[in-house]
Amino acid sequence: MPDLPNNCASGRTDRANIALFAVVALSLIACQRLPSDLVALADQVPARIEAETARTSGSERAFDEYKETEDFAVVQRYAESEGWTDRFSEARAKIRAADAVLRQEIQPLLERDQTSEAEQLRAALSKINPLLAAARDAAGHWTARRDFLQQVASDPAAAADQCTTALAEMHRTEPDLQARASRAKSDHAARAAEIDELVGPLSALLAAAEEAASSASAEFAKIRGGDDGDLALLGDSCRLAAASRDKFVAGAAELGAKLGELDRSYSRTLIDMRADYSLVLRRQTWNERFDYPALHNLEFRVDPVSSEVFEGVASVGGSLAYLSRGWRGLRIGLASGLDRQHWDALSIDPFVRWPDGDTNGEIWVESGDVKYFHKYLIQEDGQTTESDWTAVNEEFFLANLDNLGMDVESKAYGSFESERLAHAAPPGMAFVGNPHYGRWVSDGSGGTFWSWAGPYLFYSSLFGSPMRYGRSDWDTWSRDYRGDRPFYGGSSAAPRWGSRSRSVQTSPKMQGSTFARGGGFRRPPASVRSVASRSRGGMFGASGK
């Protein structure tokens, strides 16, 4: 609320102050009300309940009239055995439940009309649609059921054929499905029980379809022979068979993809990373001789800029430079906290396109942006390739500053995609202990180390010098870190793997990386993170006159 003067010079001022208080008070009151869109929806609820009540009554009258027709004889026994009339009571129960929500929850909230209760109103309104939809379905059940049974009665052969076709399609798919499952269990014996669990629901669908088809066939034989067959059993059985077929076909495709996951193997080893920095500077100029001068703005886009300049400029806060232009020429004064070298690195002409008549100006950082990139050594099924620069989000980039030379993602042969590891680990560590990739051999002094199979030998010399994993390394990772947190080995002061490890920092390949050339090994991770935080706008903003 604005400050008002303590002493009023006249009655007119008093009246103005009172009016101002009233306007502000009304504004504050208005701000406390429920959102208009929710109120509009709530206002519609009584009419919707009334409409559904009328619809239910109309449907019940129509059913009573239908019972007096000759057509009703075809479906009478199903109407009685299935309790079609009970559905009207069910519909009314749903309508009463919706009305209770209206009276007990929605209307009190509307009466209080408080912004703080907007979510309660939203939650109450969310109950209405399901209740009224259920009422509509229940009231209209008899028409849907009547139409379905009449369709079966008009062409029972077509209904029976639906069962036959559905079952035949499942029988065509099932042998290949079983063969794939059998091969998977042979290749991945340790996962045999899980594979059987995956196949089980599909086998159950096939059995259900076979049972439904048998029931349908028996009823169709009765009808074809002139007996009184069960139209409901025939039709519902064929519906069940068709639904089972659809689920079976979709499930078989999903199972095939799932089994294929077991044969896939991949890892992404982080071999380089970079951050590209850019700045948007704003210049504002004006004529200092005027009390209320026109302000003129101009943007300078500086892209790229080094991380040191980005961080140095961002740390200034407020204006970077103060400008003047007059009979004594062009003058510029830099902010006390700005390094002259950082200003020069921006390479902008602060007086370009200077508006005629303006005498003064300021320049500040309007916004900053950082784009992040990774480069990976990708291993996939024994084949290795090096990726191009891949854009990553800020969170992922910052989370992996310590993980140069590490696998940031891996999935071993014999594992499902859901078991993919996304916590940094020494390169290839996720594959150690798996006979698909090599074997444990004696080191000649009572210990063992992992010997890689041919396609994976590159893991032993990834950074130039020989590297191997002892059994204790793998045991520690597998027991305490696997799938839970990054594993660097050694100590926090002297890690064996990752960006701060000697093996990575002395590797010729890593020393030639963009990360190393940009000073990544010399800069602590906290420094990079502070630059990133500034890029989100925390240190940037307008200054000017």
Side-chain angles (χ1 to χ4, degrees):
M1 183 176 295
D3 292 332
L4 297 180
N6 292 325
N7 298 310
C8 300
S10 67
R12 180 178 299 174
T13 304
D14 287 338
R15 289 193 295 274
N17 288 339
I18 292 171
L20 180 57
F21 268 123
V23 170
V24 172
L26 287 173
S27 298
L28 291 175
I29 292 171
C31 291
Q32 299 301 313
R33 303 186 67 180
L34 289 165
S36 59
D37 59 330
L38 292 182
V39 173
L41 290 175
D43 288 342
Q44 297 170 11
V45 172
R48 293 180 60 199
I49 291 175
E50 184 177 348
E52 209 56 60
T53 301
R55 192 197 312 271
T56 298
S57 297
S59 181
E60 188 171 25
R61 286 195 301 273
F63 179 61
D64 290 338
E65 292 172 2
Y66 175 65
K67 289 191 294 185
E68 303 302 321
T69 66
E70 294 181 358
D71 291 342
F72 182 65
V74 177
V75 299
Q76 181 175 1
R77 64 167 169 151
Y78 307 109
E80 293 171 352
S81 64
E82 296 175 7
W84 291 6
T85 56
D86 295 339
R87 295 303 183 98
F88 298 115
S89 298
E90 180 182 332
R92 290 193 173 91
K94 297 295 183 183
I95 293 171
R96 286 195 299 273
D99 186 64
V101 172
L102 171 64
R103 290 182 290 100
Q104 298 171 15
E105 300 181 43
I106 295 175
Q107 288 177 342
L109 291 168
L110 292 177
E111 290 171 3
R112 289 193 294 272
D113 200 13
Q114 295 293 311
T115 301
S116 60
E117 295 183 325
E119 287 308 311
Q120 290 96 310
L121 179 57
R122 194 184 308 276
L125 286 171
S126 71
K127 300 176 183 179
I128 297 297
N129 281 349
L131 289 170
L132 295 184
R136 188 177 304 114
D137 289 343
H141 172 77
W142 74 270
T143 57
R145 193 62 177 164
R146 174 202 63 190
D147 295 345
F148 172 67
L149 293 173
Q150 287 179 343
Q151 181 183 5
V152 174
S154 66
D155 194 351
D161 186 58
Q162 184 183 27
C163 269
T164 303
T165 301
L167 190 59
E169 188 173 349
M170 296 172 77
H171 281 154
R172 285 194 301 270
T173 304
E174 197 261 347
D176 179 63
L177 175 68
Q178 292 294 348
R180 293 191 66 176
S182 180
R183 286 195 302 271
K185 288 194 290 185
S186 176
D187 293 340
H188 309 281
R191 315 306 294 258
E194 292 165 88
I195 294 170
D196 285 338
E197 289 182 5
L198 293 171
V199 174
L202 299 181
S203 298
L205 285 171
L206 178 59
E210 289 174 336
E211 183 178 352
S214 176
S215 297
S217 177
E219 294 308 312
F220 178 62
K222 292 178 185 178
I223 295 170
R224 187 173 53 184
D227 292 339
D228 188 19
D230 190 329
L231 295 175
L233 183 55
L234 171 59
D236 290 340
S237 294
C238 291
R239 270 187 171 178
L240 174 60
S244 296
R245 182 268 320 278
D246 293 343
K247 292 179 182 178
F248 183 89
V249 171
E254 291 175 5
L255 177 60
K258 189 78 172 176
L259 295 178
E261 292 175 4
L262 294 172
D263 296 328
R264 287 194 63 210
S265 165
Y266 61 82
S267 66
R268 288 195 303 163
T269 308
L270 181 60
I271 57 174
D272 207 351
M273 48 185 157
R274 80 171 201 259
D276 290 351
Y277 303 87
S278 63
L279 291 167
V280 175
L281 309 181
R282 182 175 293 277
R283 184 191 71 191
Q284 190 173 88
T285 62
W286 61 89
N287 191 319
E288 190 68 21
R289 292 189 295 271
F290 298 148
D291 290 335
Y292 300 100
L295 302 177
H296 304 106
N297 293 284
L298 180 68
E299 281 190 354
F300 299 90
R301 295 185 178 274
V302 187
D303 184 10
V305 63
S306 72
S307 60
E308 289 79 12
V309 171
F310 185 98
E311 185 173 9
V313 170
S315 66
V316 173
S319 294
L320 302 176
Y322 306 91
L323 314 172
S324 64
R325 182 172 182 173
W327 62 273
R328 291 195 296 178
L330 308 177
R331 303 184 68 182
I332 180 171
L334 300 184
S336 59
L338 178 61
D339 189 307
R340 180 74 197 203
Q341 290 183 333
H342 291 164
W343 170 259
D344 291 342
L346 297 175
S347 299
I348 65 170
D349 179 358
F351 294 97
V352 67
R353 294 164 56 188
W354 187 277
D356 291 339
D358 283 357
T359 62
N360 294 78
E362 293 184 19
I363 294 179
W364 64 86
V365 178
E366 182 72 10
S367 62
D369 186 42
V370 188
K371 292 183 172 62
Y372 303 96
F373 300 89
H374 277 177
K375 186 175 284 190
Y376 304 104
L377 184 68
I378 299 174
Q379 176 279 127
E380 190 163 2
D381 300 330
Q383 303 296 316
T384 58
T385 56
E386 188 171 306
S387 76
D388 293 329
W389 284 108
T390 303
V392 297
N393 63 41
E394 178 186 294
E395 181 181 5
F396 189 70
F397 182 88
L398 297 180
N400 284 285
L401 283 173
D402 288 334
N403 298 334
L404 194 67
M406 304 271 280
D407 283 349
V408 296
E409 180 183 49
S410 56
K411 192 197 83 69
Y413 178 84
S415 64
F416 292 111
E417 195 64 36
S418 60
E419 298 168 314
R420 172 184 67 93
L421 300 180
H423 288 85
M429 182 67 83
F431 304 143
V432 174
N434 187 325
H436 181 75
Y437 299 96
R439 60 192 179 93
W440 292 109
V441 297
S442 172
D443 63 5
S445 58
T448 57
F449 68 93
W450 185 255
S451 176
W452 294 100
Y456 306 98
L457 279 171
F458 72 91
Y459 281 121
S460 62
S461 57
L462 193 59
F463 305 125
S465 57
M467 178 182 68
R468 66 186 189 184
Y469 298 127
R471 185 61 183 254
S472 62
D473 296 327
W474 182 78
D475 284 344
T476 299
W477 170 78
S478 184
R479 181 186 63 245
D480 300 331
Y481 294 85
R482 183 187 188 106
D484 182 54
R485 52 190 172 133
F487 176 57
Y488 302 105
S491 65
S492 58
R496 292 177 58 194
W497 297 286
S499 305
R500 296 182 292 117
S501 68
R502 179 175 175 78
S503 62
V504 167
Q505 295 194 2
T506 59
S507 163
K509 181 177 179 65
M510 294 304 181
Q511 286 180 335
S513 67
T514 300
F515 181 76
R517 294 198 307 271
F521 289 143
R522 299 189 301 275
R523 300 181 69 198
S527 173
V528 181
R529 291 189 176 95
S530 69
V531 172
S533 69
R534 292 185 177 97
S535 76
R536 292 191 291 270
M539 298 295 291
F540 303 139
S543 183
K545 185 173 178 68

